[in-house]
Amino acid sequence: MIPIAKPFLGDEEIKAVSKVLKSGMIAQGTKVRELQEKFANSCGTDYTVAVNSGTAALHTALSAIGIKPGDEVITTPFTFIATANSILMLGAKPVFVDVDPDTFNLNPNKIEAAVTNKTKAIMPVHYASRPGDLDAIYSFADQHGLRVVEDAAHAFGSTHKGRKVGSTGFLVCFSFDGINNITSGEGGCVLTDDDEAAERIKDLRLLCVKRDTEKRFSGQRSWEFDVAAQGYRYHMSNLFAAMGLVQLGRFQAEFMPRRQEIAKHYHDALAGVSGIVLFPDDYDETVPHIFPIRVTGQR
């Protein structure tokens, strides 16, 4: 049996998790802070806020920009259910726009027809690790007063016009699920360069207990629970973070070149096969999460 996805885990990850278990501090703490700092540095952005899943990242990002019941968020139908669920969880409506047939990313030329007076945001998905036309999407959003939340669950390590995915967007959400380019077992994060959005997401992930993140990172807990808004139990544990730190350290030299090498091999082997349409051969910029093909049914 060939598994659909198998995480690359070894003795380093086991030792890192074991060390956290022995420390007794398994909840959110200094390992989470370290992962946040190193992940932000690897992507070239100011803030990373770690959470316990990619879905939590999308949900808190949308909440941070004020998405509420009755609002509409434009997104793609060609994605995992978590994308739409994160919108529905806030009582908003996902509005699906068709994809570009060459990349299966959100087609920016079709967005305008979907905009109504209820539209508040656009959520593109970087399908198969390949960012779409982000310049066109952000330009359209700016012209219409909309916010952009990127679902980059597939795309850690990929670049867009020479810059790492996550380094240029307002709110960019990643997943550390076991099938993605790096894993922390479960987990995810939101990248942003906006101070206010980062602080809002930090509070949201810890039940909206004000400034609880800073206390936990210094080995303390909140005993005066100042809660002014709806929050969620979305914080990442030190166990997740310890595994994620090892994976992040292995990515550049080990995971990234191997994934690109395999994808190039598949592309070369399948090129010219009747009935199969391949995605762009851009594997010096794309670090593939999956290798999809289109089957036309023609021989």
Side-chain angles (χ1 to χ4, degrees), residues 86-127:
S86 66
I87 300 167
L88 293 167
M89 288 159 69
L90 289 165
K93 177 184 177 181
V95 177
F96 296 121
V97 167
D98 205 355
V99 296
D100 182 320
D102 292 328
T103 64
F104 282 19
N105 282 317
L106 188 66
N107 189 334
N109 297 322
K110 295 182 179 292
I111 293 176
E112 187 166 11
V115 174
T116 72
N117 59 5
K118 296 181 180 180
T119 306
K120 296 297 186 293
I122 305 171
M123 184 184 283
V125 175
H126 304 333
Y127 181 69

Side-chain angles (χ1 to χ4, degrees), residues 39 43 48 51 53-55 57-58 126 150-158 164-167 172-177 180 187-191:
F39 194 87
C43 293
T48 297
V51 289
S53 72
T55 306
L58 294 170
H126 304 333
E150 298 177 39
D151 182 342
H154 295 185
F156 173 63
S158 293
K164 289 286 186 67
V165 171
S167 65
V172 186
C173 303
F174 289 89
S175 170
F176 302 147
D177 186 81
N180 289 317
C189 70
V190 184
L191 270 63

Side-chain angles (χ1 to χ4, degrees), residues 159-171:
T159 60
H160 176 254
K161 294 191 173 181
R163 297 189 62 179
K164 289 286 186 67
V165 171
S167 65
T168 59
F170 171 57
L171 290 166

Side-chain angles (χ1 to χ4, degrees), residues 52-242:
N52 59 16
S53 72
T55 306
L58 294 170
H59 186 203
T60 53
L62 290 169
S63 184
I65 60 173
I67 299 299
K68 60 185 185 303
D71 289 343
E72 294 179 354
V73 178
I74 291 173
T75 191
T76 166
F78 202 83
T79 182
F80 187 56
I81 188 61
T83 306
N85 271 352
S86 66
I87 300 167
L88 293 167
M89 288 159 69
L90 289 165
K93 177 184 177 181
V95 177
F96 296 121
V97 167
D98 205 355
V99 296
D100 182 320
D102 292 328
T103 64
F104 282 19
N105 282 317
L106 188 66
N107 189 334
N109 297 322
K110 295 182 179 292
I111 293 176
E112 187 166 11
V115 174
T116 72
N117 59 5
K118 296 181 180 180
T119 306
K120 296 297 186 293
I122 305 171
M123 184 184 283
V125 175
H126 304 333
Y127 181 69
S129 310
R130 190 174 284 104
D133 191 347
L134 292 178
D135 290 346
I137 290 172
Y138 273 97
S139 177
F140 182 90
D142 289 343
Q143 293 171 22
H144 292 79
L146 306 176
R147 307 311 293 263
V148 177
V149 175
E150 298 177 39
D151 182 342
H154 295 185
F156 173 63
S158 293
T159 60
H160 176 254
K161 294 191 173 181
R163 297 189 62 179
K164 289 286 186 67
V165 171
S167 65
T168 59
F170 171 57
L171 290 166
V172 186
C173 303
F174 289 89
S175 170
F176 302 147
D177 186 81
I179 65 172
N180 289 317
N181 284 352
I182 63 170
T183 185
S184 57
E186 291 287 352
C189 70
V190 184
L191 270 63
T192 184
D193 60 1
D194 186 273
D195 294 7
E196 186 177 344
E199 290 302 324
R200 175 75 174 139
I201 295 167
K202 286 177 186 177
D203 286 344
L204 283 166
R205 70 174 170 186
L206 277 165
L207 301 168
C208 262
V209 179
K210 284 289 185 182
R211 304 292 180 182
D212 198 23
T213 283
E214 285 75 10
K215 292 180 180 178
R216 290 184 184 232
F217 284 170
S218 62
Q220 305 176 55
R221 293 292 296 270
S222 294
W223 298 110
E224 294 181 5
F225 299 103
D226 183 9
V227 178
Q230 169 77 55
Y232 312 99
R233 198 163 182 84
Y234 281 166
H235 54 291
M236 179 182 278
S237 75
N238 273 348
L239 290 169
F240 286 7

